[in-house]
Amino acid sequence: MTNIRTRVRAHRPGIVRSLREAVDPARLLLVAKTALAVGLAWLIAPHTPGVTDEYPYYAPLGALVSMYPTLMGSVRSGLQTLLGLATGIGLAAVVVLTVGPTWWSIPAVVGVGVLVSGTGWFGVGREYVPMAALFVLIVGGQDAEDYSLGYLVQMGVGVAVGFIVNLVIAPAPLTLAAAAKVDAFRTQLSEHLHDIGSAVSDSWPPERQQWANDAASLADTTSELHTALSDADDSRRGNPRAFGRRGETRHIHEELARLDRIAHLIRDISDEVADTIWDRPGGLELDAALPEPLSAACHAVAEVIAQQDPLTPADHRARGEAARAIRLLLATVDDRTIDVRRSMGPGVLAAMQLRRILILSGHREPEEETEGESAAEPEGA
């Protein structure tokens, strides 16, 4: 029981985050649109011409599979599903016109369908290739031709209804959500560098290890952010609510690229310090005089990372303090190297990475800078 409670506590933040995402306004809008599309498809399905009206239950399914948070996602999923269905029906037609459904031809055509679906041509519709072939041969039976036509047409009706609903009630672009996540990542990087600074100054060797464990999660966070930003770009394509602001995500891409490079540098610092602490292969001894200036430099650079605008007076002050802290760290490294005649490896490496982070944190593309201002390297950094 204790172990179960411990596991629940460990996963509680993830559970809470999942519940919040489930009731997010954008998600609730998708829920309402999906229900509306399914209802409309069910109302329209019985009025389709010919024998297709005998298979109305496939129209709501088509509406369901076509509902995605973005318009382009809706179009892709709908078309890929119809392509997968048509391919599966075609495979079943070959069997019907030749040997017919038998104990061996049905599993054979399903196997071929699974093989074909692995080509990557069908996207989300890949599962419908073997499924459609199986349904036509088993459910369609003697009426395979009528069943195939009704299946494909009704799914097409549902997909069309889903797309129309998604177009009329267009989803909001995901740009603001992606930007908020990138801002949160900036804060996470700043806090992580603060944690490293606190760890090396509390005691030596540091007693806390969470900062080292957190470093490994930075790569996962970066990957999630790239996915979120890709979704934001996708949400703008063909979206009437995004017209006139086509380049809106460019600055977010640039900011994420900067933060991605900063994350790699912070992970390098974390690995360097961890190698030294736990005597890993490649670890170099850290002189007793270095933890204090190293901690101060980490804290100062972390304050710079936290600044959202690199052109404000507050940012200039923070950058100046960080540059001085790095100079002090380098001066300490130089003095101790001369005194003990030994390379101050971790101190040198950390100072180099902190200096690069400081430069990256103030970088801006030329067209983003104001006249007379530059994102050049701070003096002495």
Side-chain angles (χ1 to χ4, degrees):
M1 182 65 70
T2 303
N3 290 336
I4 294 176
R5 290 177 179 174
T6 302
R7 291 176 181 176
V8 170
R9 289 195 198 99
H11 291 87
R12 186 177 299 169
I15 295 173
V16 173
R17 183 171 61 252
S18 298
L19 292 175
R20 287 177 178 173
E21 291 176 353
V23 296
D24 181 80
R27 188 69 183 177
L28 294 178
L29 177 62
L30 179 63
V31 170
K33 291 194 300 182
T34 301
L36 176 61
V38 167
L40 290 175
W42 180 247
L43 289 175
I44 296 172
H47 304 288
T48 54
V51 297
T52 59
D53 64 349
E54 298 178 11
Y55 308 95
Y57 37 83
Y58 287 119
L61 177 60
L64 180 61
V65 300
S66 69
M67 293 304 295
Y68 263 61
T70 65
L71 284 175
M72 292 306 298
S74 182
V75 173
R76 276 197 304 270
S77 64
L79 293 179
Q80 288 169 349
T81 298
L82 293 178
L83 178 61
L85 282 173
T87 303
I89 291 173
L91 292 175
V94 173
V95 173
V96 171
L97 295 174
T98 54
V99 297
T102 65
W103 66 269
W104 64 267
S105 63
I106 292 177
V109 77
V110 169
V112 173
V114 173
L115 182 65
V116 172
S117 67
T119 58
W121 300 338
F122 303 96
V124 298
R126 61 184 178 274
E127 297 177 357
Y128 286 90
V129 178
M131 187 185 302
L134 181 64
F135 282 8
V136 169
L137 295 177
I138 293 181
V139 180
Q142 298 299 321
D143 299 321
E145 182 178 350
D146 292 344
Y147 177 83
S148 300
L149 180 62
Y151 192 180
L152 187 59
V153 170
Q154 292 289 14
M155 286 289 288
V157 169
V159 167
V161 170
F163 175 71
I164 291 172
V165 170
N166 225 357
L167 180 63
V168 174
I169 310 175
L174 302 177
T175 306
L176 293 180
K181 291 180 180 179
V182 171
D183 287 340
F185 185 47
R186 183 190 300 108
T187 301
Q188 179 186 354
L189 292 177
S190 175
E191 291 175 350
H192 185 64
L193 194 53
H194 273 305
D195 288 343
I196 296 176
S198 298
V200 298
S201 63
D202 287 345
S203 62
W204 192 262
E207 298 176 357
R208 297 186 300 159
Q209 299 184 20
Q210 187 60 41
W211 58 273
N213 297 331
D214 289 343
S217 67
L218 294 180
D220 295 334
T221 303
T222 302
S223 177
E224 293 172 1
L225 285 173
H226 280 292
T227 300
L229 192 49
S230 177
D231 291 341
D233 290 335
D234 196 48
S235 72
R236 301 180 58 78
R237 298 188 180 99
N239 193 335
R241 297 178 63 176
F243 289 165
R245 303 191 302 274
R246 297 185 182 278
E248 191 173 342
T249 62
R250 181 179 61 84
H251 67 286
I252 307 177
H253 280 282
E254 294 169 353
E255 181 65 12
L256 180 56
R258 282 191 290 271
L259 294 179
D260 193 7
R261 294 183 62 189
I262 290 173
H264 278 85
L265 295 173
I266 291 177
R267 290 180 63 193
D268 285 345
I269 295 173
S270 180
D271 289 342
E272 291 157 8
V273 176
D275 287 347
T276 296
I277 294 171
W278 292 300
D279 294 324
R280 295 173 178 170
L284 299 174
E285 182 180 353
L286 184 65
D287 190 86
L290 293 181
E292 182 176 349
L294 174 58
S295 174
C298 286
H299 285 305
V301 175
E303 288 298 322
V304 175
I305 295 175
Q307 301 294 322
Q308 295 189 10
D309 187 351
L311 300 176
T312 62
D315 175 74
H316 286 308
R317 287 192 297 270
R319 286 170 59 79
E321 293 174 2
R324 284 190 291 273
I326 294 173
R327 284 201 301 270
L328 178 59
L329 173 60
L330 287 172
T332 305
V333 169
D334 290 342
D335 292 341
R336 294 302 297 162
T337 299
I338 295 174
D339 292 342
V340 302
R341 296 183 180 182
R342 186 179 67 245
S343 172
M344 302 290 103
V348 174
L349 296 174
M352 291 173 59
Q353 307 297 51
L354 290 171
R355 189 169 180 269
R356 292 190 180 112
I357 292 172
L358 184 59
I359 295 172
L360 284 171
S361 298
H363 178 70
R364 282 294 182 271
E365 295 298 327
E367 63 269 23
E368 292 183 277
E369 299 173 4
T370 58
E371 186 176 355
E373 291 179 324
S374 171
E377 173 187 341
E379 181 180 357

